[in-house]
Amino acid sequence: MAEIDVRTVYPNRFYASCDLLAAQPAPVTGWWDAWGMSDPAVAPPVADLVPLTADQWNGRLTGGWGVQGGALVAMTEEQLAKAVPLAIRAGFALTAAQNVVWAEYGSLGDAVPGAWISYQKALKAIVDGSDTASTTLPASPAGGSDAG
């Protein structure tokens, strides 16, 4: 089997994927670092992806993102609520929060601030269904919303 020349197949390093048949803006369903993949054959065809700049890639965990007209766009909480169930958004936010907490505190052996613990517990309750009253995500201790 011939080896794939990833930089020829994927001329941009970073991409987002979404349901191309969904109403737009369609929420991003995947993030791809094409040049960093160990097996590029698992990625969607480049024609089904939206190329990203390095700044867009680096900001991918800062909010809810969608694709409109072939471009990455920020989605409002209202657009996200229509397109992606709250529990799914909470799961994404929980994963992002866990990454931040580990990088900023756990990996250094520092105590995790109570605000981060409370935030993660609130997200976990939405994910596991024990919180049935929330209609929006809690605010992130980092500021803003982890609606992505």
Side-chain angles (χ1 to χ4, degrees), residues 37-52:
M37 292 187 293
S38 59
D39 183 5
V42 301
V46 71
D48 294 344
L49 298 172
V50 175
L52 305 175

Side-chain angles (χ1 to χ4, degrees), residues 49-109:
L49 298 172
V50 175
L52 305 175
T53 66
D55 286 343
Q56 289 171 319
W57 174 261
N58 291 332
R60 71 191 184 281
L61 298 178
T62 62
W65 298 101
V67 173
Q68 185 161 354
L72 189 70
V73 296
M75 292 182 71
T76 66
E77 186 66 29
E78 183 178 313
Q79 289 170 323
L80 284 167
K82 285 182 179 179
V84 183
L86 184 64
I88 300 296
R89 290 183 286 131
F92 291 142
L94 180 58
T95 298
Q98 290 167 334
N99 289 335
V100 168
V101 166
W102 174 252
E104 296 295 322
Y105 305 103
S107 67
L108 302 172

Side-chain angles (χ1 to χ4, degrees), residues 6-7 9-15 32-35 46 51-53:
V6 72
R7 292 179 189 222
V9 176
Y10 298 95
N12 294 82
R13 179 172 180 174
F14 305 115
Y15 294 90
W32 303 89
D33 178 351
W35 298 356
V46 71
L52 305 175
T53 66

